[in-house]
Amino acid sequence: MTPALPDGEVPPPDGHLPGWVGQATPEVPGFGVYLHVPFCAVRCGYCDFNTYTASELGGGASQLAYAQTALREIDLAARTLEAVGRGSREVGTVFVGGGTPTVLPTEDLVRMLDHVRGTWGLESGAEVTTEANPDSVTPGSLARLAEAGFTRVSFGMQSAVPHVLATLERTHDPARVPEAVRWAQDAGLAVSLDLIYGTPGESLDDWRRSVETAVACGVDHVSAYALVVEPGTKMAVQVRRGELDLPDGDDQAAKYELVDDLLEASGLAWYEVSNWARTPADACQHNLAYWRGADWWGIGPGAHSHVGAGERAVRWWNVKHPRAYASRLEGGLSPAAGRELLGPAEVGLERTLLGSRIREGLAVASLTARARTAVAGLVADELLDGRSALQGRVVLTRRGRLLADTVVRALTD
Amino acid sequence: MSPIPSTELTSRIQPAATPPSLLRNFCIIAHIDHGKSTLADRMLQLTGVVDQRAMRAQYLDRMDIERERGITIKSQAVRMPWAVEQDGTTTPYALNMIDTPGHVDFTYEVSRSLAACEGAVLLVDAAQGIEAQTLANLYLAMENDLAIIPVLNKIDLPAAQPERYAEEIAGLVGGDPADVLRVSGKTGAGVTELLDRIVATVPGPVGDAEAPARAMIFDSVYDTYRGVVTYVRVVDGQLNPREKIVMMSTRATHELLEIGVISPEAIRTQGLGVGEVGYLITGVKDVRQSKVGDTVTNASKPANQALAEYHDPRPMVFSGLYPIDGSDYPVLRDALDKLKLNDAALAYEPETSVALGFGFRVGFLGLLHLEIIRERLEREFDLDLISTAPNVVYEVTMEDRSIVTVTNPSEFPGGKIGEVREPVVKATILAPSEFIGAVMELCQSRRGDLQGMDYLSAERVEMRYMLPLAEIVFDFFDQLKSKTRGYASLDYEPAGEQAADLVKVDILLQGEQVDAFSAIVHKEKAYAYGVMMAGKLKDLIPRQQFEVPIQAAVGSRVIARETIRAIRKDVLAKCYGGDISRKRKLLEKQKEGKKRMKTIGRVDVPQEAFIAALSSDDSGGKDKPKK
């Protein structure tokens, strides 16, 4: 079970973009490439991502052939963007996510990156990240990735506490995390750790221990996510049966405040609701591009893509299953399953909901006149930072970060 | 000899040309479910006015709701021919069956229907015995000097106990239990004998054919195509087609466009004579111009004296009705305007509620009336409505002697109050004697005052209580039923007013009064109401980004308090490329949802919370599973 794709219109079979994308070019946004690797060694009980184990796919064949299929979509992307005059941009960021990208042979990851570079070129200083499981990397594989041009690795640490990892069905040995971090750092890669809080049975002290362990690894970037029990996951079934408690919002709020305190104290500052970095340069540039409304092409099953054109934009998403994905591309067709054409109202809404999540915030001037009248009240409620508001920026306070959706609703009324 | 008169005999009982001695006007008094409509159907068949094919169960009950609930809201009169042979001579009669509403809410209409008759069939379910409302109507009939024909129905039922109930009825109306007729509306058994008995027992009407015309209106129905159809019983004189008539209470003049009888479809006639029952059409569009109880006379030769003093129906119970979708307000207004055409008792005026928006404060004759109107609005006009808890009318005398009439609890005056008066009712409860304790307990908890108690039989008892109307408008009947395993029956009639120690309890959200939840309750019940409502709202209102106190207060004194804790987290942790579309759509949906929120002060309250809080379950939200 994987998250349902959004409802949208049926895209053209060849995936061509609307003509207006090429016409409106006051300022061409940055361009990032997301590469989805839809495979994992095992599936974790809480995970609703579009990923498959070898047994779920019924044989490993497609896993082995996957990189080759992905290269076909890169070629299609190049042709499609070229057709609307967006073909000559260098790629600013590449992010390989999953699934577990490192279950693929390292050379497959290298091959995909090489193909991106060969197709569009990489900007100098481009950020190239891969997600990884601490137990699916070796000093050798990390060194090879660095050599091939990867600059950053994001490990799914989730917790340092064995009973929490067990509830999450994470299989890695917690002791492996500091080791993997060190290997990556030795290879010259920037390192981020992902943490999850609010797992059933996790105490505040358990959480403190996880954050302190992450800090002790000496990384420059941490992401911390509240656990969400997604429908259709094994965990949702366990909750329904009463085997696990549903995560509690108040408990998660307390844990958010704790992680924010601990990370800030260790020199990592928040730059997005769930992300902290030592310096602005340590922030994940690829993710920032999402929040700033850049263009990106998502390669792989279920991946989403976004191409903006001023007050309009087009977003589409690929078919979910690796087999369907492969057969579309082999048949010379676009793997897109659906798309939506966004007008000024939707684009404006997305700008507010994404821009308000990041530390740099939004320009008050970019809000509608109606939304602007809400700013003062949000400052009074200590949801927005007053000083920033005076300087014309909408920036969340910590309380505001915890109630970001409330703020966005107020700003989009 | 067929009891259906031959053509020759029929010529003797033509409308406008039937001697009063050949007329029999009767009604059927029965409790809901005791089979009145089925019996009426059988009479229509046996008298030949409806043939088998056209027969449709409960022919006389027109509306869907009536058919479904098995109750009759609007009465009609049907003229049926019937021939009786006596001493070798066959005499034709015209029987007018006047269908009466069976429910206590419509007592005034019942009394007018009874006034149109000389006889009444007292119909009692042979398996259930007489019920309180039937008893009430029986008293009315006896007061009107009607000839009573006691009948046990449903004798075909295995559970029927005709001997037992014949005795009970004979005890009430006098006479021998053996004289109580036994019929089955379902099989038709005994119905012929009943028709014969009507002819034999019910006297023919008496009136002065030479006097100025006087006819009493006993029903008035709005018809989309014909306008108002008025049902009358002629007492004196004659009404003729095309002449001008006058409504004596208003002195309004109308032209008689059509006059006739129902048998069972409308048949135009050459008029209506002394003692006859039929309908008039004058082209008016509003039943208020043709009021039940009013007297119709001839414009060119008017009567001096009306038949009875007319009085307007007085609403007893009020409730605020609000469309769930605020844009439906005009639809609700038009719908009420339409229903009013057919319901002289329906009264309403626009009202605005902070919590519920624009709606109407609607006055009803009673709870059933309220339920029927609400259901018709929802069903016939496709409206989704919220209704506030029903309340009665209070008369508040201030210390400065000024008087305020309160039909909406939120308008209960503050300041120095001298006295509050509330309507009271005389209630009659019939129940198996094993439930006496339970009934007494319930009535006492509703501030009831026992007036008397009589055994109808060894097993059945009649209890008479004086009760504040306010105490029975909410869930009294449901409680009564559940405490007596469904056996008790209730009837009540207005019995004036009494002074009572009443206070208004307000519900405040973050210090702001929520008008829809204000209630006028007895001082001793204020605390319980406050705790119940505050608890309910605490569970129903979603957490806000600030703490929300819910208080129940009498004046400035807080009597109960709950707190909705502030929500601490309302944010989606992850929002990356693949999440954005989903997130935007969620936001759009929430914004749509917010349009359906009402804001009290700064608190956003989903409309569902109001609906749930106003719903009649009185568990106080405490026992409900938390989400």
Side-chain angles (χ1 to χ4, degrees):
Chain A
M1 179 68 201
T2 49
L5 292 175
D7 291 329
E9 60 173 43
V10 179
D14 65 350
H16 73 261
L17 300 178
W20 45 259
V21 172
Q23 288 152 18
T25 50
E27 198 182 329
V28 177
F31 181 44
V33 172
Y34 174 77
L35 282 156
H36 189 66
V37 177
F39 310 112
C40 283
V42 292
R43 175 181 281 277
C44 306
Y46 66 91
C47 175
D48 77 329
F49 291 170
N50 192 29
T51 186
Y52 304 82
T53 61
S55 61
E56 282 173 343
L57 280 173
S62 52
Q63 192 163 326
L64 288 175
Y66 179 68
Q68 191 57 43
T69 311
L71 301 192
R72 283 181 193 258
E73 192 186 355
I74 294 171
D75 293 340
L76 175 94
R79 289 196 304 274
T80 307
L81 289 172
E82 187 65 52
V84 290
R86 294 276 180 96
S88 55
R89 275 178 301 174
E90 289 189 330
V91 172
T93 61
V94 178
F95 194 104
V96 186
T100 310
T102 47
V103 301
L104 287 187
T106 307
E107 289 313 312
D108 277 358
L109 300 181
V110 170
R111 203 144 60 100
M112 290 193 286
L113 175 58
D114 283 347
H115 203 75
V116 169
R117 189 191 286 114
T119 303
W120 290 289
L122 291 181
E123 285 177 10
S124 82
E127 176 194 87
V128 181
T129 306
T130 184
E131 291 182 339
N133 249 6
D135 54 3
S136 65
V137 294
T138 63
S141 68
L142 290 164
R144 173 68 185 121
L145 288 172
E147 181 200 13
F150 281 83
T151 64
R152 193 170 174 272
V153 61
S154 172
F155 286 117
M157 171 180 170
Q158 320 313 5
S159 172
V161 181
H163 77 86
V164 176
L165 289 170
T167 303
L168 293 172
E169 299 187 325
R170 297 294 294 194
T171 52
H172 68 262
D173 172 4
R176 184 73 184 258
V177 174
E179 209 174 15
V181 170
R182 203 166 49 249
W183 296 338
Q185 287 170 335
D186 288 348
L189 294 166
V191 182
S192 175
L193 291 174
D194 277 6
L195 293 169
I196 289 178
Y197 57 91
T199 300
E202 181 191 60
S203 69
L204 201 59
D205 276 341
D206 288 338
W207 175 236
R208 183 191 305 276
R209 200 173 126 203
S210 295
V211 179
E212 284 171 348
T213 305
V215 167
C217 289
V219 293
D220 297 324
H221 189 282
V222 170
S223 303
Y225 304 114
L227 177 71
V228 176
V229 178
E230 297 287 355
T233 59
K234 181 177 170 192
M235 185 173 270
V237 174
Q238 291 170 310
V239 167
R240 199 167 58 236
R241 288 192 191 137
E243 294 162 12
L244 293 177
D245 288 331
L246 199 63
D248 172 70
D250 292 355
D251 173 64
Q252 290 187 329
K255 286 172 177 167
Y256 183 85
E257 286 166 0
L258 179 63
V259 65
D260 192 49
D261 284 343
L262 294 172
L263 293 178
E264 294 275 349
S266 74
L268 272 67
W270 82 277
Y271 71 95
E272 192 264 354
V273 169
S274 301
N275 288 277
W276 291 260
R278 196 167 299 282
T279 70
D282 294 313
C284 178
Q285 302 303 314
H286 184 82
N287 289 340
L288 277 171
Y290 292 139
W291 301 317
R292 289 168 177 160
D295 286 356
W296 75 87
W297 195 293
I299 304 288
H304 288 225
S305 302
H306 174 266
V307 174
E311 294 300 305
R312 289 200 275 186
V314 54
R315 172 182 290 112
W316 68 95
W317 43 89
N318 288 346
V319 292
K320 257 167 52 176
H321 200 278
R323 225 187 288 286
Y325 172 75
S327 78
R328 289 274 194 108
L329 283 163
E330 278 156 20
L333 299 172
S334 158
R339 74 171 184 183
E340 56 188 14
L341 303 176
L342 309 177
E346 289 89 2
V347 168
L349 196 60
E350 290 193 358
R351 270 188 200 144
T352 303
L353 84 87
L354 297 171
S356 63
R357 290 177 70 94
I358 51 180
R359 174 68 182 83
E360 66 197 39
L362 278 170
V364 172
S366 74
L367 297 173
T368 62
R370 214 180 129 88
R372 255 175 272 169
T373 62
V375 171
L378 293 167
V379 170
D381 287 341
E382 298 177 3
L383 295 169
L384 290 183
D385 180 60
R387 215 177 286 273
S388 304
L390 290 177
Q391 289 157 12
R393 304 294 295 179
V394 168
V395 177
L396 296 171
T397 60
R398 182 159 83 178
R399 182 170 134 76
R401 277 183 267 153
L402 274 167
L403 297 171
D405 289 0
T406 308
V407 173
V408 169
R409 281 195 295 275
L411 289 177
T412 55
D413 248 358
Chain B
M1 180 75 224
S2 163
I4 300 175
S6 61
T7 314
E8 190 220 322
L9 287 174
T10 303
S11 67
R12 291 169 54 194
I13 50 169
Q14 285 305 301
T18 307
S21 62
L22 297 185
L23 289 169
R24 295 293 182 267
N25 297 325
F26 72 99
C27 60
I28 304 176
I29 295 172
H31 188 70
I32 301 164
D33 291 340
H34 281 203
K36 178 169 72 172
S37 299
T38 312
L39 176 65
D41 292 346
R42 213 53 62 218
M43 290 182 175
L44 296 182
Q45 262 179 304
L46 286 174
T47 56
V49 299
V50 178
D51 66 33
Q52 200 72 38
R53 269 175 309 140
M55 197 69 212
R56 145 181 87 147
Q58 301 189 9
Y59 195 92
L60 296 180
D61 287 357
R62 271 208 204 133
M63 286 182 288
D64 284 351
I65 295 174
E66 291 181 31
R67 203 180 305 283
E68 274 170 35
R69 289 172 172 245
I71 54 175
T72 309
I73 303 162
K74 283 291 174 188
S75 57
Q76 274 184 306
V78 186
R79 187 173 174 122
M80 304 178 287
W82 192 250
V84 173
E85 193 185 323
Q86 205 176 15
D87 309 327
T89 321
T90 301
T91 315
Y93 292 89
L95 311 187
N96 287 308
M97 176 167 60
I98 293 163
D99 202 14
T100 55
H103 193 273
V104 59
D105 282 359
F106 306 102
T107 298
Y108 182 67
E109 289 174 297
V110 174
S111 70
R112 295 305 88 194
S113 297
L114 296 178
C117 306
E118 280 76 32
V121 172
L122 172 66
L123 188 71
V124 175
D125 186 323
Q128 296 188 55
I130 199 161
E131 306 272 358
Q133 286 156 28
T134 314
L135 204 54
N137 289 338
L138 174 62
Y139 285 143
L140 281 176
M142 289 169 85
E143 265 177 46
N144 277 281
D145 287 329
L146 302 196
I148 308 292
I149 302 172
V151 177
L152 284 167
N153 191 19
K154 305 195 190 180
I155 51 158
D156 56 305
L157 287 185
Q161 296 177 274
E163 281 74 28
R164 176 178 164 191
Y165 292 119
E167 201 141 333
E168 188 175 288
I169 294 171
L172 288 167
V173 301
D176 192 316
D179 293 338
V180 177
L181 282 176
R182 292 162 195 207
V183 309
S184 166
K186 199 171 146 201
T187 65
V191 180
T192 300
E193 291 76 6
L194 172 56
L195 288 164
D196 287 345
R197 178 80 70 93
I198 289 167
V199 169
T201 312
V202 177
V206 177
D208 182 352
E210 305 309 315
R214 290 199 299 173
M216 188 202 57
I217 300 178
F218 63 88
D219 201 2
S220 183
V221 180
Y222 177 77
D223 179 281
T224 318
Y225 302 103
R226 313 299 313 272
V228 172
V229 180
T230 302
Y231 293 89
V232 296
R233 147 75 193 260
V234 177
V235 175
D236 293 326
Q238 170 139 348
L239 292 173
N240 303 301
R242 311 310 303 183
E243 70 185 11
K244 282 203 160 59
I245 56 162
V246 176
M247 300 294 175
M248 292 188 73
S249 76
T250 58
R251 295 273 147 208
T253 305
H254 304 287
E255 188 174 349
L256 266 185
L257 302 179
E258 186 176 326
I259 186 165
V261 298
I262 308 286
S263 189
E265 306 296 343
I267 298 168
R268 288 171 187 249
T269 65
Q270 287 311 301
L272 292 171
V274 168
E276 283 191 303
V277 172
Y279 71 93
L280 314 174
I281 291 172
T282 61
V284 302
K285 297 285 183 213
D286 182 343
V287 288
R288 277 165 182 70
Q289 292 172 279
S290 198
K291 301 188 242 192
V292 171
D294 204 350
T295 302
V296 178
T297 189
N298 188 311
S300 57
K301 189 181 157 194
N304 299 321
Q305 183 81 45
L307 288 164
E309 197 184 330
Y310 172 79
H311 66 85
D312 275 314
R314 195 160 54 98
M316 299 291 288
V317 175
F318 287 80
S319 172
L321 290 185
Y322 292 84
I324 283 178
D325 180 347
S327 66
D328 276 345
Y329 177 79
V331 183
L332 175 58
R333 188 190 50 216
D334 292 349
L336 284 168
D337 286 346
K338 283 208 181 89
L339 291 184
K340 184 175 149 183
L341 294 177
N342 204 5
D343 188 342
L346 185 65
Y348 52 91
E349 56 184 52
E351 175 178 87
T352 313
S353 157
V354 178
L356 305 176
F358 292 101
F360 291 90
R361 179 125 302 246
V362 187
F364 303 95
L365 294 174
L367 279 182
L368 180 79
H369 191 208
L370 184 161
E371 233 176 274
I372 288 169
I373 294 295
R374 201 198 137 123
E375 204 169 318
R376 289 190 64 186
L377 288 169
E378 298 202 319
R379 190 187 302 215
E380 294 169 30
F381 300 91
D382 205 17
L383 284 160
D384 287 325
L385 298 173
I386 311 185
S387 52
T388 62
N391 63 271
V392 301
V393 188
Y394 299 95
E395 200 177 88
V396 182
T397 308
M398 307 302 287
E399 278 193 352
D400 67 6
R401 298 264 142 219
S402 62
I403 289 175
V404 183
T405 302
V406 177
T407 57
N408 178 346
S410 71
E411 288 161 5
F412 195 83
K416 301 256 186 242
I417 288 171
E419 187 185 63
V420 185
R421 295 184 75 76
E422 62 174 347
V424 289
V425 295
K426 261 196 279 184
T428 304
I429 296 166
L430 297 194
S433 45
E434 59 183 295
F435 297 116
I436 290 177
V439 172
M440 285 182 144
E441 200 181 340
L442 174 66
C443 290
Q444 262 155 31
S445 77
R446 301 302 179 102
R447 300 190 279 133
D449 190 10
L450 183 62
Q451 307 281 299
M453 186 160 93
D454 287 303
Y455 280 83
L456 298 183
S457 63
E459 301 89 24
R460 294 231 303 165
V461 66
E462 176 194 298
M463 285 181 270
R464 293 181 297 280
Y465 268 92
M466 195 67 94
L467 277 158
L469 178 61
E471 295 284 349
I472 64 170
V473 293
F474 200 44
D475 60 350
F476 181 80
F477 191 60
D478 291 341
Q479 289 285 319
L480 181 66
K481 282 284 183 195
S482 79
K483 285 182 194 301
T484 59
R485 280 192 266 123
Y487 282 114
S489 62
L490 166 75
D491 178 66
Y492 64 85
E493 59 179 280
E497 295 169 350
Q498 68 179 17
D501 208 351
L502 299 170
V503 293
K504 180 178 67 153
V505 181
D506 287 321
I507 302 294
L508 295 91
L509 270 189
Q510 244 204 353
E512 296 272 343
Q513 185 192 330
V514 189
D515 53 11
F517 296 130
S518 291
I520 296 168
V521 296
H522 192 261
K523 208 171 173 182
E524 281 170 15
K525 292 183 176 173
Y527 175 72
Y529 176 81
V531 168
M532 182 275 289
M533 201 42 106
K536 240 184 188 184
L537 289 175
K538 180 182 181 235
D539 290 344
L540 290 168
I541 296 175
R543 292 166 70 183
Q544 317 271 314
Q545 50 123 331
F546 38 82
E547 187 177 281
V548 179
I550 305 171
Q551 295 161 308
V554 173
S556 56
R557 192 166 55 89
V558 173
I559 56 170
R561 183 189 164 105
E562 294 273 6
T563 303
I564 303 171
R565 284 182 306 135
I567 189 167
R568 292 190 59 195
K569 175 178 168 285
D570 174 25
V571 58
L572 193 69
K574 284 191 181 189
C575 193
Y576 298 114
D579 306 314
I580 298 169
S581 184
R582 192 155 65 133
K583 173 80 178 146
R584 189 194 74 245
K585 283 170 182 164
L586 182 67
L587 181 63
E588 283 164 349
K589 211 171 131 191
Q590 287 172 336
K591 285 171 62 178
E592 250 338 279
K594 185 143 191 230
K595 285 188 194 154
R596 285 171 66 97
M597 296 260 201
K598 304 283 182 180
T599 307
I600 308 288
R602 295 190 62 205
V603 185
D604 290 330
V605 184
Q607 201 154 28
E608 295 72 35
F610 284 117
I611 298 168
L614 289 169
S615 70
S616 57
D617 90 283
D618 58 350
S619 64
K622 294 280 190 228
D623 313 324
K624 279 185 292 189
K626 303 251 158 69
K627 274 189 204 143

